Amino acid sequence: MEDSRSTQASNVILDVINVSKSFPGVKALDNVSFNLRKGEVHALVGENGAGKSTLMKILSGVYTADSGTIRYKGNDVVFKDAAQARDAGIGIIYQELNLIPALSVAANIFIGREPLTTFGALDEKKMNADSIAILNRLNIHIDPTTILNRLPVSKQQMVEIAKALSFDSEVLIMDEPTSALSEKEIDELFTVIHTLRNRGVAIVYISHRLEELKHIVDRISIFRDGHSVSTDEYKSIDMNEIVNRMVGRSLENKFPPKQNNPVKEKLLEVRNISRKGILHDISFDLYKGEILGIAGLMGAGRSELGRAIFGADAIENGTVVMDGKELSLSSPSDAIKAGIAYLSENRKEEGLAVKMRLTENVTMANVQEISQRLGILSRNQEIEVTQKYVKNLNIKTPNLSQIVNQLSGGNQQKAVVAKWLFCNSKVLIFDEPTRGIDVGAKYAIYKLIGDLAQQGRGIIMISSELPEILGLTDRLLVLHEGKLAATLITAETSQEEILNYAAGVLTSI
């Protein structure tokens, strides 16, 4: 036993010892400890606000700890900036990729370090050759001359990994790496992760998708409220215990109980919606108080259908009828006036003004409602409206003037909902409503969606998580290659049947 412990200790490449970090009014980390071994994949999990991102930013040189010790390869270190950490061999890949879309793959890998000829010109041939060498080490087959924005997100992520490894990274931090990937793309990423682990690279893996950890993880550390709760061999702990430790309580039911909705009053009619090459003759109805799911594989047209109903993408054929009245949807403003809201899967870019205050975000889509004569905004009304939705939606914020980017993912999502409720929206389209949201906050979002349906609003929920679809919806549409493959009663179907329709194995229409 002593020999085993001694071997494990000598194998530690990164050791965090009693680290604390505070921001004004918030203690983000309180005396936390964490270590990472060479050649392991170590999951770091916890609810939003648990301190995961703060610790990773300390390790990668973005923040400096207030107290405690960071020991890297046996030496105590304090990185003054991200470049110093990167040069020391610690790379980080954020959920939002840090690449330049208009440049080639090779140019992104070596940006700022491009090889030069003896005459000082760019040595493009060497840059491409070196890029191929790095990509080959990962068994990734991408032409280095390809312009980045021509690649799918999964391949762009591989380029980000190659870029990190071009610095000879011995530690690689991955923050929500699968949030925008399909199942096939996730499998490709996991293959690369296994390759890295076999080469001795130590990986910190942060994810809210707990079910995927079993495929790649060796150990798991759990944080809660700025404290390190536990570290275990992954095979020695079950999923229920992981969740219990994350939230500090038992979550026996992942989804709120479904409410009966005997009233079948039609709210929205979508007829023969088509957009060349994307959507093909899709029709369905939505009823008051109903939660209608939209399922399908990546690229099936789920988000495109939601955006078409919202007027964000032009439709070539078809009609949308609300309360018996045909709508003219030439822009999102037309949909908003008609009472349709779209909560984008990318809430930070399309749903919120993240550098503005909570009050401004809640009221921005209906600012005329709180404006006085001559268009002068009433700050008092702005505060009253925000107070109402903070209370009704249980938005956790230090104050109403909090910058939205400083709220947790779940509370950001609630802020988007508040914005649309202030617009008196009757139909709310939720596109991946729990993406990037922790397990505890998911339940709050699920309950919120159920409560909105109980108020008589129509809910369309687009999700790539089938348990979420099955746990929340009343009916669901399954799309396959832009076509409606099936309309199913949720209580009468299964994940297997949904996947068969989504893959085109079954057809009912």
Side-chain angles (χ1 to χ4, degrees):
M1 180 67 71
E2 288 301 322
D3 287 343
S4 173
R5 288 177 181 173
S6 176
T7 300
Q8 290 176 358
S10 64
N11 204 30
V12 169
I13 188 171
L14 185 66
D15 207 0
V16 175
I17 306 165
N18 301 328
V19 163
S20 295
K21 177 68 177 178
S22 294
F23 300 98
V26 178
K27 189 149 194 175
L29 295 174
D30 189 2
N31 206 37
V32 304
S33 295
F34 170 88
N35 67 59
L36 183 66
R37 298 172 187 161
K38 298 174 185 176
E40 78 163 340
V41 180
H42 193 142
L44 180 57
V45 301
E47 295 190 271
N48 287 84
K52 308 184 300 295
S53 295
T54 300
L55 178 59
M56 293 307 103
K57 286 179 179 178
I58 290 173
L59 296 180
S60 60
V62 177
Y63 296 155
T64 302
D66 297 336
S67 61
T69 302
I70 307 292
R71 189 164 295 151
Y72 178 54
K73 296 199 289 189
N75 298 312
D76 293 356
V77 295
V78 177
F79 297 123
K80 64 179 182 180
D81 55 33
Q84 192 178 62
R86 182 193 62 205
D87 292 342
I90 299 178
I92 184 165
I93 298 172
Y94 293 104
Q95 189 173 353
E96 292 83 15
L97 300 181
N98 186 27
L99 298 169
I100 300 177
L103 295 182
S104 70
V105 168
N108 271 283
I109 291 174
F110 285 101
I111 189 164
R113 305 170 293 131
E114 297 85 352
L116 303 177
T117 67
T118 53
F119 301 104
L122 171 65
D123 192 341
E124 197 165 349
K125 185 176 180 180
K126 176 173 171 51
M127 185 171 72
N128 290 335
D130 290 348
S131 297
I132 290 172
I134 294 168
L135 292 165
N136 284 345
R137 282 162 55 195
L138 298 171
N139 294 317
I140 298 171
H141 305 292
I142 301 174
D143 183 345
T145 65
T146 303
I147 301 302
L148 189 80
N149 61 16
R150 295 177 185 169
L151 295 174
V153 172
S154 59
K155 298 300 183 186
Q156 292 184 32
Q157 196 167 55
M158 302 302 181
V159 174
E160 184 84 89
I161 293 172
K163 177 182 172 182
L165 293 181
S166 72
F167 289 93
D168 295 323
S169 297
E170 297 178 66
V171 170
L172 192 58
I173 300 166
M174 295 185 173
D175 189 0
E176 297 288 349
T178 63
S179 63
L181 303 186
S182 68
E183 292 298 321
K184 182 177 182 297
E185 290 168 335
I186 290 171
D187 289 341
E188 292 174 357
L189 175 64
F190 287 173
T191 298
V192 171
I193 288 174
H194 284 299
T195 299
L196 291 169
R197 179 172 61 182
N198 292 339
R199 290 183 54 244
V201 177
I203 298 171
V204 181
Y205 190 90
I206 301 172
S207 179
H208 287 119
R209 292 183 170 183
L210 301 182
E211 68 280 356
E212 71 188 18
L213 301 183
K214 62 186 176 185
H215 300 292
I216 52 170
V217 168
D218 300 300
R219 287 194 299 158
I220 181 168
S221 289
I222 299 168
F223 279 22
R224 185 174 72 244
D225 298 331
H227 295 85
S228 43
V229 175
S230 62
T231 295
D232 297 270
E233 297 294 326
Y234 184 79
K235 62 186 177 184
S236 70
I237 187 170
D238 64 35
M239 190 62 66
N240 287 335
E241 183 59 24
I242 291 171
V243 173
N244 291 348
R245 292 183 191 179
M246 282 175 59
V247 301
R249 64 189 185 281
S250 176
L251 287 181
E252 296 177 358
N253 299 312
K254 292 183 179 179
F255 304 100
K258 290 184 179 179
Q259 304 292 331
N260 291 325
N261 179 31
V263 179
K264 284 293 183 182
E265 186 177 348
K266 197 176 291 184
L267 179 61
L268 188 75
E269 301 172 61
V270 175
R271 294 289 178 267
N272 310 113
I273 292 290
S274 295
R275 187 176 173 212
K276 188 175 181 180
I278 298 173
L279 301 173
H280 308 283
D281 200 33
I282 295 176
S283 298
F284 66 89
D285 296 324
L286 176 69
Y287 297 89
K288 289 185 178 179
E290 181 182 36
I291 303 176
L292 178 69
I294 299 181
L297 302 179
M298 190 75 72
R302 297 170 305 175
S303 295
E304 289 82 357
L305 179 57
R307 289 175 59 85
I309 297 168
F310 186 59
D313 292 340
I315 55 176
E316 293 161 3
N317 296 298
T319 57
V320 178
V321 176
M322 171 84 88
D323 287 331
K325 179 183 177 182
E326 185 174 331
L327 304 180
S328 175
L329 299 174
S330 59
S331 69
S333 62
D334 294 331
I336 294 168
K337 289 174 185 175
I340 300 174
Y342 176 66
L343 292 85
S344 168
E345 62 179 322
N346 192 347
R347 60 178 173 267
K348 287 189 176 182
E349 290 185 13
E350 298 178 353
L352 295 166
V354 294
K355 295 184 178 180
M356 295 176 68
R357 296 174 298 175
L358 177 60
T359 50
E360 294 164 327
N361 274 274
V362 169
T363 59
M364 66 169 57
N366 194 18
V367 72
Q368 66 274 9
E369 186 71 19
I370 56 170
S371 297
Q372 302 169 340
R373 288 185 179 182
L374 303 177
I376 299 173
L377 178 71
S378 170
R379 292 295 181 189
N380 288 337
Q381 284 185 281
E382 183 183 59
I383 290 170
E384 287 175 12
V385 168
T386 306
Q387 281 177 329
K388 171 186 172 182
Y389 290 111
V390 165
K391 179 181 179 181
N392 292 349
L393 302 180
N394 192 27
I395 299 174
K396 295 179 180 178
T397 177
N399 55 69
L400 301 183
S401 296
Q402 180 78 350
I403 301 302
V404 165
N405 203 30
Q406 296 172 2
L407 297 176
S408 71
N411 287 299
Q412 287 180 13
Q413 188 70 293
K414 289 181 179 181
V416 180
V417 174
K419 176 180 75 173
W420 293 122
L421 292 184
F422 184 48
C423 291
N424 297 313
S425 301
K426 296 184 238 179
V427 172
L428 291 97
I429 304 169
F430 285 84
D431 194 348
E432 300 289 0
T434 60
R435 174 164 289 170
I437 293 176
D438 63 70
V439 65
K442 279 185 178 182
Y443 188 91
I445 296 298
Y446 296 152
K447 186 176 185 306
L448 173 59
I449 290 172
D451 290 345
L452 292 170
Q454 278 296 102
Q455 295 168 15
R457 304 176 199 271
I459 307 296
I460 297 175
M461 193 180 83
I462 303 164
S463 178
S464 56
E465 296 190 30
L466 290 185
E468 190 169 81
I469 289 277
L470 290 168
L472 286 182
T473 66
D474 302 301
R475 291 186 304 135
L476 64 104
L477 312 176
V478 185
L479 302 187
H480 170 67
E481 295 182 349
K483 299 177 182 177
L484 183 56
T487 301
L488 305 172
I489 305 297
T490 305
E492 300 173 2
T493 189
S494 64
Q495 288 197 42
E496 182 179 13
E497 184 180 29
I498 295 168
L499 285 171
N500 280 330
Y501 279 116
V505 176
L506 293 176
T507 55
S508 66
I509 296 176

